[in-house]
Amino acid sequence: MSGINGDKARFNRRRRHKISRRVSNQKMLKSLAEKHLVPAGSQGNQKEKAE
């Protein structure tokens, strides 16, 4: 409710944290994929999503 009514400081902080976490996870997964350390199940799921 407060997000609708204008309590932007708290909600924007959460939003920025979520975005930062997503970016860091993507970087980590990309580096693992380059090293071929990603588990076989994860690689199959990524290929299916790409198609």
Side-chain angles (χ1 to χ4, degrees), residues 3-35:
I4 296 169
N5 291 332
D7 188 7
K8 301 264 191 252
R10 178 168 45 126
F11 289 95
N12 283 334
R13 181 176 51 83
R14 288 181 185 170
R15 180 181 60 84
R16 286 192 315 264
H17 186 264
K18 283 192 266 186
I19 292 169
S20 174
R21 187 176 58 230
R22 266 187 255 135
V23 169
S24 65
N25 283 342
Q26 288 172 355
K27 285 181 185 178
M28 179 190 65
L29 290 173
K30 186 176 179 180
S31 68
L32 289 175
E34 289 172 356
K35 294 177 184 178

Side-chain angles (χ1 to χ4, degrees), residues 32-45:
L32 289 175
E34 289 172 356
K35 294 177 184 178
H36 303 292
L37 295 176
V38 177
S42 298
Q43 287 179 347
N45 291 339

